[in-house]
Amino acid sequence: QECYRADHVLKAQLEKIIDDPATAEDRKEDAEGVLAVLDELDAEDMDEAIASWDVKATETGNKLSASFPFNLMFGTQIGPSGMVKGFLRPETAQGIFVNFKRLLDYNGSRLPFACAQIGLSFRNEISPRSGLLRVREFMQAEIEHFVHPQKKNHAKFDTVKDYSLALFPRRQQLTTRTTVQTTIGEAVANGIIDNETLAFYIARTSMFCEKVGLNKEHIRFREHLENEMAHYATECWDLEVNCSHGWIECAGLADRSCYDLQSHSESSKIELSAREMYSEVKSVEYLKVMPQKGVMGKAFKKDAQLVMKALEAMSEDEVAGTQSQFQSGKESVPVKVADGRSFSVTKDMISYEKGIKKESGRNYYPSVIEPSFGVGRILYCIFEHSYYVREGDDEARAVLRFPPIVAPIKAAVLPLSKNEVFTPIAARVGQALAACGLIYRIDDTGASIGKRYARFDELGTPFGITVDFESVNDSTVTLRDRDSMRQVRGDIAGIVKSIFSIVSGTSSWSDVERIFPSFSAAEE
């Protein structure tokens, strides 16, 4: 039997209804309303919506069953016996969290600091499709930025505060369904984005997208709705890119609070915290619980030690909570021990000690700001946004408008013909490009120079270097820009240096045209 994700088939049906010209306006509005809160629907609401909007199986048109939960983690067996259950990682982040103490030591025990990692992640997708967009094994790149929970300002925030971008806040999703164009500084000042560090990474993510070739007009950052939020996040924004498949999530930027470090600490019994030193010694009140060992020993016998350890591990807020419950008249309070069991502790089993102590610092769990990128999805969108068709004299030519920094081949070296006199000069050009770390290809096939230009335009190669008879006489070559198709002529060293400066982002094609004389050719 074919399985479907309930939210996906419902979304497809709603979009079909909205796009249908025959659909009445009020019905379109209803469909748009459901679509806006789709991620907030629980299983019962989802089943009602599927029935209400007459959603059927995609391939067969048959009626769908009731929805049921599904684990997206890949299960596996560990060891020769296969008796130990394991899971492939659904994200790369946890490897950073479990190594937090080593990373903190490496950074001299100072916060904030960040760690980046790239690697494969695995999710048991119900129905992989759409090429690189929905797969079970994918490349993920993540940054974990550790910061003090009360100090989420960023030292470099002023460098991005005037950057403008499109935000799709929660409020707009539920009302106007339109994006808000604002600067990142205004977004923080107006409370749209909670803190500077998260806002800094949102701005830098948008800048990165522009740099690698995504069209800024088709980029937005959408805030997660309340019921859509991951259990670990206090705030989350998705980078969404508009392509032929609609708006797709390509990155997630979340404030994960201290959830991960605290959870790992509790499970492993290894403290993954940071130390904050005060500028001067403070006198602070404390409240702690004092187990009555004799009474507990009689009541819990061999489990008494477990219960006492659980009581001693309580935070002051938890201790105060138990005291408040006893004062309100409760006979006992539940206490969960390390193995997950719960025991009822009565008032005569514990006492409380309250006093004042001197502290020079405190331990705390840092918060984590996490930008997480789906490499395959971003790459796919770059292909779509870069592709266009250029009209030629005789036929249309496909072009990939890759920015030079991401183009896999930076330059094509093109001898004018197969004449052997061009071979040593083409080799010199190739050596000069290689010396600068620039990837190139020599195309000395017998095709016309125009067809070879078109061939490399299709591969996204930004520059073409032509070796002709004049090159044989004076060691000059022509340099062609893929996007404008304009050409200049110059010496080999100067041309290669110009390509390197454009690829590294320190100059542009207009700078090159100011340096070298233009060259007119009729080959194209």
Side-chain angles (χ1 to χ4, degrees):
Q1 289 184 345
E2 188 69 30
C3 287
Y4 304 92
R5 268 188 60 167
D7 57 335
H8 287 176
V9 291
L10 177 56
K11 180 181 179 182
Q13 176 73 346
L14 292 171
E15 290 175 342
K16 181 180 177 181
I17 291 170
I18 293 168
D19 294 338
D20 187 352
T23 305
E25 285 302 316
D26 57 344
R27 184 166 171 79
K28 279 187 180 182
E29 289 180 9
D30 291 342
E32 288 171 349
V34 175
L35 196 59
V37 296
L38 184 62
D39 291 311
E40 294 197 4
L41 302 181
D42 57 24
E44 185 178 341
D45 292 335
M46 188 70 71
D47 289 338
E48 288 181 8
I50 286 173
S52 173
W53 293 96
D54 195 30
V55 180
K56 305 293 185 183
T58 308
E59 285 81 10
T60 64
N62 292 333
K63 185 178 178 181
L64 296 170
S65 70
S67 57
F68 57 89
F70 176 75
N71 191 351
L72 285 174
M73 289 180 66
F74 256 120
T76 187
Q77 288 79 40
I78 300 172
S81 67
M83 299 297 290
V84 180
K85 182 73 172 175
F87 292 92
L88 301 181
R89 66 180 183 184
E91 62 178 2
T92 65
Q94 300 307 319
I96 296 175
F97 295 135
V98 297
N99 283 294
F100 171 74
K101 292 298 287 186
R102 290 187 178 92
L103 295 169
L104 184 63
D105 290 343
Y106 178 80
N107 201 51
S109 298
R110 294 171 300 171
L111 284 172
F113 72 86
C115 180
Q117 178 170 306
I118 184 168
L120 290 174
S121 295
F122 306 86
R123 295 187 188 170
N124 193 12
E125 284 289 348
I126 297 171
S127 52
R129 63 187 184 280
S130 306
L132 292 173
L133 298 185
R134 192 166 296 283
V135 292
R136 290 189 170 118
E137 176 184 337
F138 56 95
M139 187 67 69
Q140 194 173 29
E142 295 187 298
I143 299 170
E144 308 302 329
H145 183 106
F146 297 95
V147 64
H148 192 289
Q150 281 81 48
K151 301 173 184 176
K152 294 181 181 178
N153 54 307
H154 197 285
K156 296 182 180 180
F157 183 71
D158 284 346
T159 64
V160 301
K161 68 178 183 180
D162 295 325
Y163 181 79
S164 179
L165 75 174
L167 297 179
F168 198 18
R170 191 177 294 154
R171 182 178 178 181
Q172 274 65 33
Q173 292 175 57
L174 299 174
T175 54
T176 63
R177 305 189 188 107
T178 57
T179 58
V180 175
Q181 195 70 33
T182 182
T183 66
I184 207 72
E186 291 170 347
V188 173
N190 295 331
I192 299 174
I193 302 174
D194 179 67
N195 61 77
E196 287 186 4
T197 299
L198 181 58
F200 174 81
Y201 279 110
I202 289 174
R204 288 304 302 268
T205 297
S206 183
M207 292 175 183
F208 166 77
C209 290
E210 286 188 78
K211 192 171 185 179
V212 298
L214 294 177
N215 186 338
K216 191 178 179 182
E217 293 181 0
H218 294 276
I219 294 171
R220 71 184 185 191
F221 290 85
R222 186 183 67 83
E223 185 181 12
H224 279 202
L225 299 173
E226 286 285 356
N227 290 354
E228 189 185 358
M229 292 278 285
H231 61 280
Y232 52 75
T234 59
E235 183 173 1
C236 189
W237 294 78
D238 283 344
L239 160 68
E240 294 187 334
V241 181
N242 192 17
C243 67
S244 60
H245 294 275
W247 288 96
I248 63 166
E249 175 196 348
C250 289
L253 299 102
D255 184 339
R256 298 180 71 123
S257 66
C258 61
Y259 175 85
D260 299 278
L261 293 178
Q262 188 170 357
S263 297
H264 281 299
S265 296
E266 292 171 355
S267 298
S268 67
K269 307 306 176 187
I270 296 174
E271 194 65 18
L272 299 177
S273 61
R275 181 76 178 171
E276 177 185 23
M277 301 304 297
Y278 301 140
S279 57
E280 56 184 31
V281 177
K282 293 183 179 181
S283 296
V284 296
E285 289 187 353
Y286 70 87
L287 176 68
K288 66 179 181 179
V289 65
M290 307 291 291
Q292 303 299 311
K293 296 181 180 180
V295 180
M296 282 198 164
K298 290 180 180 178
F300 302 124
K301 298 185 171 52
K302 62 183 178 62
D303 294 319
Q305 284 295 326
L306 281 173
V307 179
M308 285 189 279
K309 284 183 179 179
L311 288 168
E312 290 166 357
M314 281 183 172
S315 66
E316 286 199 22
D317 287 341
E318 290 172 326
V319 172
T322 63
Q323 187 181 44
S324 175
Q325 289 182 64
F326 284 131
Q327 289 173 347
S328 65
K330 278 204 169 185
E331 295 295 326
S332 64
V333 294
V335 174
K336 183 177 282 189
V337 299
D339 62 9
R341 289 181 294 163
S342 184
F343 294 85
S344 293
V345 174
T346 57
K347 191 173 182 179
D348 63 321
M349 294 180 181
I350 55 175
S351 61
Y352 297 92
E353 180 181 293
K354 189 175 183 180
I356 295 176
K357 60 181 178 180
K358 302 287 186 181
E359 283 187 353
S360 58
R362 71 179 184 98
N363 291 341
Y364 67 94
Y365 293 113
S367 286
V368 178
I369 308 297
E370 179 196 69
S372 176
F373 302 87
V375 177
R377 290 188 174 193
I378 293 173
L379 185 61
Y380 175 83
C381 291
I382 291 173
F383 279 123
E384 273 211 14
H385 285 202
S386 299
Y387 178 83
Y388 73 99
V389 175
R390 176 187 290 155
E391 297 298 328
D393 294 335
D394 52 354
E395 61 182 83
R397 298 176 179 180
V399 181
L400 282 174
R401 197 191 291 111
F402 289 147
I405 195 171
V406 299
I409 303 171
K410 307 303 181 187
V413 182
L414 309 171
L416 190 61
S417 69
K418 297 186 75 172
N419 193 324
E420 291 184 1
V421 72
F422 301 133
T423 302
I425 301 173
R428 278 177 55 199
V429 174
Q431 290 167 3
L433 290 166
C436 291
L438 299 170
I439 297 173
Y440 69 95
R441 291 290 181 271
I442 296 178
D443 185 346
D444 55 3
T445 59
S448 70
I449 194 70
K451 286 186 176 179
R452 282 182 283 163
Y453 283 151
R455 181 183 299 164
F456 281 95
D457 288 349
E458 215 169 16
L459 294 174
T461 305
F463 303 109
I465 301 173
T466 305
V467 178
D468 54 20
F469 287 104
E470 196 172 338
S471 307
V472 178
N473 297 326
D474 58 11
S475 294
T476 63
V477 292
T478 65
L479 177 65
R480 173 189 180 269
D481 174 55
R482 176 200 62 213
D483 297 331
S484 67
M485 296 192 296
R486 292 199 293 268
Q487 298 186 50
V488 297
R489 190 168 195 99
D491 62 283
I492 292 173
I495 291 295
V496 171
K497 183 180 178 182
S498 294
I499 294 174
F500 179 80
S501 63
I502 293 175
V503 170
S504 60
T506 56
S507 68
S508 64
W509 176 253
S510 58
D511 296 325
V512 175
E513 288 187 306
R514 282 193 289 268
I515 298 171
F516 299 104
S518 62
F519 177 82
S520 298
E523 290 87 353
E524 295 186 73

